[in-house]
Amino acid sequence: MRALPLLLALTAGCTYEEGMTIADLTGTVVLPEEAVTRTFQKQDGTEETLTDPRLIGPVYLGLFSGVQDGLKSYTHPLMGPMFQPGVPGDTYPYAGTTVGDLPFPCFESLVCKVSSGRYTDFDNMVDWFTDVIETPIVDAYGDEVDTGDYVRQTCYDLMHYTTDEEVRLTATTDRNEDGVIDLKDLDFVQGNDGKFYADFTIWQTQYVDGFTLWGWMDAPSEVSHMFSTCDPSQGYQESTYSSDFAGGMQYPDLLNSPSLYISSGDWVVSSGGTHTYSSPDDHPEIHLDFLVTE
Amino acid sequence: MIRFRISLRTLSKLASVLAVLMIAFPAMAQTTGAIRGVVTDAEDDLPIPGVTITLFSDALIGGVQQRTTDNTGGYQFVELPPGDYDVTATKPGFKSVTVAGVVVQISRTVVRNVQMPLSDSTEETIEVVATRNPVDTEETSRGEVLTKDFLQKIPAGRSYQSAVQMAAGVTGGSGGNPNMGGAAYNENTYMLDGANITDPVTGTFSVNFNYDAIEQIEVVLGGYEPEYGVSLGGVVNLVTETGTNNLEFDSSLFYMNGNWNPKMDERLTADGYTLAPTGFDSNYQNLTLASKISGPIVRDKAWFIVSYQWARSLIANTGISVPRDFDGHYVLGKATLQPTSEHRFTTFIQMDPSTIDNLVQDDPFVKPEAQQRQTQGGYVTQGRWQWFLNPDANLDTQVVVQKSYIEVGSVPCTHDRTLGYNTCKPTEPEGFVDWETPGRTGLYGAYDSVAFGYFYFDDRYRYQASSKLSLLGIDDPLGGTHDLKAGVEAVQTVWDQIQGYAGNTLYYDLNEVSYDPSTFKNYYWLETTGPIKFRTTQSQWNAFVQDAWKPIPDLTVKYGTRFDNVVSRNDLGEPVLTGKLWGPRLYAAWDPFGDQKTKIGGGYGRFNDTGRLGVASFTSAANYGSKLYLGEYFSEGSGDKGYINGSGDMYDITPRENLNTSWDNLATPHSDELLVLFQRELVRDVAFGSNLTYKMTRFMYEFDQTNVVYDQDGSGVIGSRTGDPLIDIYRLRTPSLARRDYFQGDFYLDKVQSRRWAGRLTYSYTQSVGSSTQSLSGSFANDPQTQYNYGPMATDLRHVVKGYAYWSLPTDPWVQTIGVSFEYYSGAPLERYYYNDWSYSYNLRIRDRGIYHRFEPVWVASIKFSQDLDVKRGKLVLDFEVNNIFNNQSPDNFSSAFYTLNRLFAYSRQDPLRLQLGLRYQF
């Protein structure tokens, strides 16, 4: 037992500090009520203005060395040198994340049109495309898909999934624990002030003091209803029977060259709405309150 | 107890010892055992001093040993090679007493008390057969010693790698490397006759030798003393035979066949897996021919043993038209010289050159001519000097040199068409390998492929020198005795690699119709900058000091620490891993009733991972420089040159440098272990025991991706720090999140050898959760997936039952032995991965690790029957063994990520029923 003090001494001081601050950075994204209103061009040439939270597209958040006004019509991250005329310089993001992403949508007609976290269930998704924007989902045989069960079953068949959680197209978690999965369980939930709020986490980020949070929301095309941040030729390659298509995925340089993808109707953080970090414990509220109109 | 007095003469010897310690170097794991006890008067139970204790054994070189009991009646023999011993006590006025058949095991101390009846004549003798005490009241480690009896009579697979699985707490693993104590398969230490034979690169076993040459295997899972070195997992301590004064010969032939089982392709098809249309039959055949001869060079002074094993196996189990053809030759030669009672010299050399043809067994589209050959092997040689300064003090010094190699290239051609192997062209000589013509391959699973021109030459070296000083039975002025050991060791390991492609070019072909080289279209091809050659090194020295203190006769306290100083360098000579590591340990064992029938023990230990060359090489700079050309496939209808005319006909250039980095401030992975031990003899020869282990492993080696930025669930990339997401930049780290937490409770019944049978039945309950199943993993490469990393791991086998027994039938003189084994493993957690758009693979989790599902339980029962027949000048042994007698084929591994199917199917099932026939001749 006389050895115990020696052993304790030897074990003391064995704690380890990696010397690198890695943190899950959390915060809230806020969209104005107007972000869920958009005017679409219908196939017959007429226009229709819709207001629906399902219009909220994927939100892209990045951490940059800073932002600058004047580069574009909207606040833009600091940009590196331009090596080729017309090609924006790189913004070299430190880190980033999304609120809603673009999972495999199971039908070719849905490629690049579906963001995760926007639909309460598959029927809600069918309703959006069939009844609201009137571009029905079409299956591999050209037939209209009119039930959520058909969507679910197709996803299960193609990907060999067994739960909606694996499909990742609809809400599957009762976030507010009220016993039902509804609008209040989507990524964005409308507050009493009419704005839409979503929590975000930028996972396992190496913290750099003073980096700035910037982001934007990609609104669906007024004509095709596709998201401009999505590359329809990439993603999961489905090749079964008469189905032969790519599922689409995000472009890999959305944060490096955001101006290539930001288009009219998108919502970008204004210069006053960004957040410059002073601590990894910051919990910023970032407002995507600038509507891009050009 | 022995009273150890330091005389001037001893001091002078110690001075020279210290000098040796300073210029030579030290080390490690025990290869011997000890016998001690107290001699008492049978009438009044009082200790008898001055009794002459004589020790005899066939295993004991140097002839008989003698001690005289001290004032307490105590005696002790140390540094005894494992084996059976006879202990004889004689003193005038008492009857001589001989205790026969005392079994000495590695690192164990046998307590053999002797009672001597009064007598007028020492001519009167009493001979008793030793019983083995099932309770070891002094041992503080968690582990088992597998004796030769056990290894030969239990259906254990005839390899030390499979025999190790018999120990509680050992499960699964990879490629013959088990998971021990919840650790990864590459976190164990392997010792052969005191020499570390752990592969310095991979952390796995690195040598093979004749199974019949094994004397004992000590499997240690925790609680081991500092001399055993560093390991986050367990220690496999192999001790081979030494020889005897008798010339002995043993030759055996074993053949195993599993071909009559359901064809693997049928089984996989039943699981929903479509195989390529080949004429494949599953194949499992295993042949071993083994011989050993041992005996005296000079009686009592010098012994030798030479063993050889030829191992040949043909195994095809995934739809490949040619089997994996293994052909190995294992040689082990050992000589032991004890010219005087003070000095023992041992040297051994082990070699195991082997070839594996048709290495690719996971792609049914690979053609025989595209197959690969791996040659492997190497040697280990040891020189060892044990200097017995006096009966209770010795210096053990050894030097070890090891080289192992792996060479991978195209399988040589043959003109023998019956094999179906790579057939030579008429102009090519037998065994021809074309190192010049660029290789061709096909996209995974898409079509046929032809000669694959990749080659890889790998040499690994270990230079080790160590020395250990043992001072045993030292009186403590405050009471009790000490067994003190101290040692130092220096190790240098080197890893040389050469990699390249024949002709420095590799064609990726596309031929979706049928196998026809003339119709190939070059999908794309790579021109590389030529073979690369680089070296990774590790320098290490360490020292340890430990003590086994017995303050009172029934209490043993073992404490000590070791210090490891290690520097691992990448190919630029940069120190990647450095450490100055302390590994303190404190354990105790108490016999509360002092009757050798109960033990309560436990303690704490820290175990460090000093890293291996595979980790250091992660940041080596050497890499291929390559140009990627797009082929005809991409130019159809648009060009006439057969490729897209990008820049100088090049489409893309891969830089030569490996871009991986290392975080400056790396920790050293380590485990902190708490252990509780209990043993109690229930009835004679049968003990119940329980081991409770809690082990925390922290700061494991990880690499993360520093370049790309993922979306919220890690399924897609939305940016990159360098502007080019195609460039992978990984960073070596030891994050605090990389951890494991392991609890295991073993409950066992142990029946020691008596009345012709022995057995052991163990139940283990395990919880093994963590973030990483390997000592270098990329669990944290995809940032958003970090949230799912921690959970039950593959080693989280909640309920495991292992039972082994053998029984020698009372049919003397023709001995018949039946050995049985039974193992039950409840299902391991099943990993399920989901499609990841970015990496085009299935490495996306949507739930915490290990909670998706569990495998079905797996159980297996085997039986072995041996019949001894006396023949002229020797003995013939017939062996018949049935593995998995109920032919269970439960899945033991699933995949959710195979080709384009995102569904579960079993790609591995437990080994089917196999029969083994053996014939052995011994004299």
Side-chain angles (χ1 to χ4, degrees), chain A residues 2 14 16-18 90 92-93 96 98 100-101 159-161 165-166 168 203 206 234 254-256, chain B residues 476 606 663 665 709 711-713 717-721 723 731 733-734 787 832 834-835 840 847 902:
Chain A
R2 285 173 294 168
C14 290
Y16 160 69
E17 173 55 54
E18 195 174 12
D90 204 304
Y92 301 113
T98 66
D101 53 32
M159 301 295 283
H160 304 282
Y161 287 155
E165 187 184 11
E166 298 167 74
R168 289 184 290 130
W203 298 99
Q206 184 173 355
Q234 300 297 317
L254 296 174
L255 296 181
N256 297 84
Chain B
D476 188 325
R606 167 164 287 196
W663 182 243
N665 186 20
V709 179
D711 64 12
Q712 67 177 9
D713 65 3
V717 167
I718 57 172
S720 65
R721 294 188 64 167
R731 174 176 56 186
R733 287 178 60 198
T734 50
Q787 59 182 313
R832 183 169 185 183
Y834 297 89
Y835 188 77
Y840 299 97
R847 301 172 187 170
N902 182 18

Side-chain angles (χ1 to χ4, degrees), chain B residues 171 179 768 773 791-797 827-831 849 855:
Chain B
T171 56
N179 297 116
S768 182
T773 55
M793 301 189 298
T795 49
D796 189 74
L797 297 168
L830 176 60
E831 290 295 309
R849 173 193 293 273
F855 286 108

Side-chain angles (χ1 to χ4, degrees), chain B residues 591-868:
Chain B
D591 178 4
F593 307 112
D595 58 0
Q596 301 287 311
K597 292 184 177 180
T598 306
K599 176 175 71 177
I600 299 172
Y604 159 82
R606 167 164 287 196
F607 304 89
N608 296 302
D609 178 355
T610 55
R612 50 190 171 80
L613 292 171
V615 179
S617 187
F618 183 75
T619 64
S620 285
N623 203 352
Y624 300 110
S626 63
K627 300 174 186 175
L628 171 66
Y629 290 82
L630 297 185
E632 293 91 334
Y633 175 81
F634 292 94
S635 65
E636 280 185 342
S638 61
D640 57 2
K641 294 181 67 177
Y643 43 77
I644 291 177
N645 191 357
S647 173
D649 297 342
M650 292 181 298
Y651 178 72
D652 192 18
I653 300 173
T654 302
R656 188 183 178 94
E657 294 80 19
N658 176 12
L659 299 175
N660 292 351
T661 62
S662 173
W663 182 243
D664 292 338
N665 186 20
L666 293 177
T668 302
H670 64 257
S671 293
D672 289 309
E673 177 199 70
L674 295 172
L675 180 65
V676 176
L677 306 168
F678 173 75
Q679 257 187 316
R680 170 68 191 175
E681 184 181 277
L682 296 180
V683 296
R684 183 179 173 183
D685 301 333
V686 179
F688 167 77
S690 177
N691 307 321
L692 304 178
T693 305
Y694 179 63
K695 187 158 68 173
M696 302 176 295
T697 302
R698 295 293 181 266
F699 310 123
M700 291 182 292
Y701 294 119
E702 292 285 342
F703 59 86
D704 62 2
Q705 165 71 279
T706 61
N707 192 32
V708 299
V709 179
Y710 292 93
D711 64 12
Q712 67 177 9
D713 65 3
S715 64
V717 167
I718 57 172
S720 65
R721 294 188 64 167
T722 64
D724 186 352
L726 293 175
I727 297 177
D728 291 327
I729 302 176
Y730 295 113
R731 174 176 56 186
L732 183 64
R733 287 178 60 198
T734 50
S736 57
L737 290 176
R739 66 188 196 272
R740 289 195 297 253
D741 295 282
Y742 169 81
F743 169 79
Q744 184 163 70
D746 301 324
F747 305 90
Y748 60 88
L749 287 171
D750 194 6
K751 163 69 173 64
V752 297
Q753 163 73 39
S754 69
R755 284 164 283 180
R756 294 177 178 270
W757 76 284
R760 186 177 175 91
L761 180 65
T762 306
Y763 165 77
S764 299
Y765 174 80
T766 305
Q767 285 193 11
S768 182
V769 294
S771 63
S772 309
T773 55
Q774 295 189 45
S775 64
L776 175 59
S777 78
S779 293
F780 298 89
N782 187 327
D783 305 332
Q785 291 288 291
T786 299
Q787 59 182 313
Y788 303 121
N789 276 346
Y790 188 82
M793 301 189 298
T795 49
D796 189 74
L797 297 168
R798 290 294 164 87
H799 308 285
V800 176
V801 177
K802 296 182 178 184
Y804 309 94
Y806 66 83
W807 181 36
S808 296
L809 302 178
T811 53
D812 297 338
W814 287 8
V815 178
Q816 295 170 343
T817 303
I818 295 175
V820 293
S821 68
F822 174 81
E823 295 171 2
Y824 170 89
Y825 302 90
S826 64
L830 176 60
E831 290 295 309
R832 183 169 185 183
Y833 298 100
Y834 297 89
Y835 188 77
N836 180 322
D837 284 329
W838 173 248
S839 67
Y840 299 97
S841 62
Y842 294 77
N843 57 4
L844 186 66
R845 284 195 181 97
I846 60 172
R847 301 172 187 170
D848 290 345
R849 173 193 293 273
I851 67 168
Y852 175 76
H853 190 58
R854 280 184 180 264
F855 286 108
E856 301 169 29
V858 173
W859 63 272
V860 60
S862 301
I863 190 167
K864 181 176 184 176
F865 176 77
S866 298
Q867 172 70 64
D868 290 7

Side-chain angles (χ1 to χ4, degrees), chain A residues 112-262:
Chain A
C112 290
K113 295 179 181 176
V114 179
S115 172
S116 67
R118 306 295 181 261
Y119 304 96
T120 55
D121 55 36
F122 290 104
D123 284 330
N124 183 247
M125 199 167 91
V126 172
D127 171 70
W128 169 254
F129 286 97
T130 303
D131 299 331
V132 180
I133 65 172
E134 299 177 2
T135 55
I137 304 169
V138 177
D139 69 10
Y141 305 100
D143 298 329
E144 187 174 318
V145 176
D146 53 7
T147 68
D149 280 346
Y150 188 14
V151 176
R152 173 191 282 120
Q153 193 58 47
T154 301
C155 291
Y156 285 17
D157 285 348
L158 294 183
M159 301 295 283
H160 304 282
Y161 287 155
T162 55
T163 64
D164 294 353
E165 187 184 11
E166 298 167 74
V167 178
R168 289 184 290 130
L169 288 173
T170 61
T172 57
T173 305
D174 183 11
R175 293 182 178 181
N176 61 355
E177 299 180 346
D178 63 355
V180 293
I181 294 177
D182 53 20
L183 288 174
K184 294 188 180 301
D185 298 304
L186 298 176
D187 283 350
F188 282 93
V189 176
Q190 191 167 23
N192 294 331
D193 57 0
K195 295 179 180 177
F196 288 85
Y197 295 83
D199 292 333
F200 70 84
T201 302
I202 306 179
W203 298 99
Q204 290 296 291
T205 301
Q206 184 173 355
Y207 177 75
V208 176
D209 198 39
F211 57 20
T212 300
L213 180 64
W214 174 92
W216 91 95
M217 186 204 81
D218 183 16
S221 162
E222 297 160 317
V223 178
S224 68
H225 303 281
M226 296 176 73
F227 295 112
S228 61
T229 53
C230 177
D231 182 352
S233 67
Q234 300 297 317
Y236 178 80
Q237 307 288 320
E238 177 52 42
S239 300
T240 305
Y241 305 113
S242 55
S243 294
D244 188 358
F245 63 97
M249 64 179 284
Q250 292 110 328
Y251 288 96
D253 59 348
L254 296 174
L255 296 181
N256 297 84
S257 307
S259 61
L260 295 178
Y261 305 99
I262 293 174

